[in-house]
Structures are given as C-alpha cells and as structure tokens.
C-alpha cells in the first residue's frame, strides 16, 4: 500500500491523546510522547516485489518521521515458506523475491528491530478475490453549480463474500508548457559587454508528465445489502478548473478487498484523521491493529498487517472529451511576458536580462517587436515554469502512456 500522508501523524495523535473532562489550552510540546513502532504492511495476490514500511511515531513539532532502519523483516506462511525482505531505502523493506499471496493460507509478519525487539502479526488469510468491473469518468454538476469530472467504480461479487472494500488511485497527467519556445537564451561571454545568443534546446521542455498517488483512505462496504455490488462509487472528483485535466489525464484505480478487521481499523483511522475535534473532551485513545510486541504485550504498536486481494483498471480521457471547444483550465501559474533591459547602466554592472538568464529563472518566449518603457529589452521572457514543463513534471513519457 502507498504511504498515507496523514497516517503517521494520526497514529501518533491516537497514542498520545489524553482523556479530559473539559477542553483547556495546552502546549503541544508538553504532551507525553510515546515512541512506538509504526507498521504499514499490505501484501496482495499480485505477483510482485511486496513492500513493508517501518517508522516510528514522532512529535507533533517534528516535520519528518523517524524511519526504522536495519530491521530483520520476513513473512512466513503455514506451509513453512519464508519470504525475506531487505531494506532498499531507510524504512522501506522490499521482498527479496517476487511472490503473490495465495488463498486459504495463513501469513504472518515477523519483525526484529536493530535493538533486538521482536514484533509479530496475527495469522492472516488472503481475502476473497473480486475484480473491478468498470472504471469510468462522468461529467457532473455539484450543488454549487460547479462542473466536475468524477471517477467511478463498479464491481460485483456474485458469491457475496467480499463486502468490504478499500480504494487507491494513481493519476498521471500530461503537462504542456503554455509559452514554450524551441530556443533558449545563453550568455556566451560573461564579461562586459555581454554577448547573448539564441541556441536550440537540447532537451524536451514542452511536454511532460506527472504522476501522483492518492493520499486518503477511500472505503465502502456492501454488508446488509441484498447483493455484494459496488455501483457508481466515486473515488476521485476533479474540478473543471483543475489544471491536471487540461490535456490528457489517466488514472489507475486499485480495489482492495478487506477483512472486517482491516476495514474497521482503516475506518476508525479515517474518522480520526478527518475529525475536527481531535482534541475535544471525547478522546478515543489508542486502538489496536493486528500487530503486537512479542516481548511486551503492553507495548503499543501502530499498524495493520493486511493480506488483500487487489484488482485494478486504468482509463484515459482528454479535456476536450467533456468540454469540446471550451477554454482550458488555468495553468499552474500566471504566465505573463516581460522584456527586461539588455544594457547595464554602468560598465561592470549586470543587466536585468543577463542576471535572469544566468540564474535560470526565465525562458525565452519571442523577440520583442515593440519595445516599450515597461518592456525595453530585445526579448520577451516568461518565468521558467511557463516555458519549461520539467518544473512541474518529468519529460520522459511513461511506458504505459497511450495517446
């Protein structure tokens, strides 16, 4: 599973919450801090290198989590197979060999930290396998009259055994620099008088791509319904004014079938992370997952070891598919042109133009055919983000991309 942005912070808050009968002003730094292991572990029926993330709870006044490094991480099953993991970057452990979780087999996570402490999960089986039937996008108008593009999922389990679902998405979008030019300006002589030349660009800066992962908990369930059917469930809503749908947009949606315990754990976590009254008088306190300390059952451990079946589906659409002949959404930033002076006031001083070129903060847009008091220079420039898409994305087209 992808690292959930708010996960560690919320887990830390859950641990340190202090029950009170009233709300009083307090200093966050004075709260009792408990150093606990945070485990993010979901293995699936996908044949791949499985991943497990380990970190530590951290104080609210700290900006980054403390990763748990140099741990011994492995998964065992009831057939006595052992799946070893190795640390690829601090806190991220990847299976040495690719494997997939199989039905009707108990899997157990085992961790030994660098200080010799041991942790384990409850034995966990793979959930029922249910595939996504359809992922699709529809134009809608919300209650405020705003036009949106909503991404929906349909799914159906005829056996009625799945019931609990969690969703993630990974979106990729095309970026086109609005004021790109095939030429750059370069200072070829950095001594007065400076020489500025136009040179042909040697790398792609007009079209780029950006990939983002969902960072929230998206769940639904069919328990109590006559059929185990997911119909038109929204996993992503995009405003018509959202820059990322300006040209071509793609999203792959993943559907995880959860156990009741996993569903409940993530539901509570999501409720706490979305609560506006986290420090109100009704403090929920710590809640347990299915991982625990082998050495000290009173030690608090944050996280859940999940063995989940997963199904995915990718779709593409263009802005013009939904808004034909309509203006594109606004770009990430305003892209005005300007023409700074090219001649310094005194010998030895840098001109505005030379300084901007040397700093790499601007891009050439076109020759200034009508110099003016406010734009006296020979060239019209734009801020680099407007002429160079690599400021917002990657200029290498993804392998999966289809135009």
């Amino acid at each position: 599973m992808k690292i959930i942005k708010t996960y560690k912070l919320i887990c830390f808050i859950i641990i340190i919450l202090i029950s009170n009968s009233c709300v009083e002003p307090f200093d966050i730094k004075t709260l009792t801090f408990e150093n606990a292991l945070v485990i993010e572990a979901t293995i699936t029926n996908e044949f791949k290198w499985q991943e497990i993330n380990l970190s530590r709870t951290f104080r609210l006044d700290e900006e980054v989590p403390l990763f748990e490094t140099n741990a011994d991480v492995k998964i065992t099953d009831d057939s006595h197979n052992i799946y070893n993991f190795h640390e690829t970057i601090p806190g991220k452990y990847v299976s040495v060999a690719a494997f997939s979780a199989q039905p009707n087999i108990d899997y157990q996570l085992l961790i030994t930290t660098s200080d010799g402490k041991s942790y384990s999960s409850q034995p966990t089986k793979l959930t029922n396998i249910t595939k996504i039937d359809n992922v699709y996008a529809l134009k809608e108008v919300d209650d405020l009259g705003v036009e949106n593009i909503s991404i929906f999922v349909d799914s159906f389990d005829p056996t009625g055994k799945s019931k609990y679902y969690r969703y993630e998405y990974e979106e990729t979008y095309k970026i086109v620099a609005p004021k790109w030019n095939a030429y750059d300006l370069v200072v070829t002589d950095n001594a007065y008088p400076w020489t500025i030349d136009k040179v042909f660009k040697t790398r792609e800066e007009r079209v780029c791509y950006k990939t983002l992962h969902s960072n929230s908990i998206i769940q639904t369930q069919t328990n109590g319904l006559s059929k185990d059917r997911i119909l038109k469930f929204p996993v992503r809503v995009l405003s018509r004014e959202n820059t990322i749908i300006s040209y071509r947009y793609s999203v792959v949606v993943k559907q995880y079938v959860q156990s009741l315990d996993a569903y409940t754990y993530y539901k509570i976590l999501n409720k706490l992370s979305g609560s506006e009254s986290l420090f109100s008088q009704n403090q929920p306190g710590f809640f347990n997952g299915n991982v625990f300390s082998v050495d000290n059952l009173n030690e608090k451990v944050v996280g859940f070891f999940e063995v989940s079946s997963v199904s995915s589906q990718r779709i593409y659409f263009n802005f013009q598919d939904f808004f034909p002949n309509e203006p594109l959404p606004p770009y990430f930033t305003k892209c005005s042109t300007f023409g700074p002076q090219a001649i310094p006031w005194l010998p030895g001083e840098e001109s505005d133009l030379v300084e901007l070129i040397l700093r790499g903060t601007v891009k050439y847009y076109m020759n200034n055919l009508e110099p003016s008091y406010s734009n006296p220079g020979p060239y019209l420039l734009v801020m680099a983000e407007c002429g160079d898409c690599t400021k917002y994305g990657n200029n290498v087209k993804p392998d999966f991309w289809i135009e």
Side-chain angles (χ1 to χ4, degrees), residues 133-146:
D133 291 331
N134 195 19
V135 175
Y136 52 100
L138 295 175
K139 183 168 75 171
E140 297 189 315
V141 179
D142 65 19
D143 295 339
L144 299 176
V146 178

Side-chain angles (χ1 to χ4, degrees), residues 149 151 169-176 208-213 236-251 316-320 323 328-333 392 401:
I149 301 296
I151 310 299
Y169 62 83
E170 180 182 280
E171 58 188 356
T172 303
Y173 53 91
K174 186 177 184 177
I175 304 167
V176 180
C208 291
Y209 305 85
K210 178 77 171 182
T211 295
L212 298 173
H213 303 280
R236 180 76 165 109
V237 178
L238 297 153
S239 167
R240 183 236 180 273
E241 297 298 308
N242 194 326
T243 306
I244 71 176
I245 63 171
S246 295
Y247 294 94
R248 188 158 179 80
Y249 173 91
S250 178
V251 62
Y316 297 82
F317 66 80
N318 296 331
F319 180 81
Q320 294 296 327
F323 305 100
L328 297 177
Y331 193 59
F332 299 103
T333 187
Y392 291 115
W401 192 261

Side-chain angles (χ1 to χ4, degrees), residues 325-353:
N325 304 315
E326 293 189 32
L328 297 177
Y331 193 59
F332 299 103
T333 187
K334 188 176 180 180
C335 292
S336 302
T337 59
F338 54 97
Q341 64 182 11
I343 306 299
W345 293 108
L346 296 172
E349 290 183 347
E350 288 186 355
S351 69
D352 289 347
L353 178 58

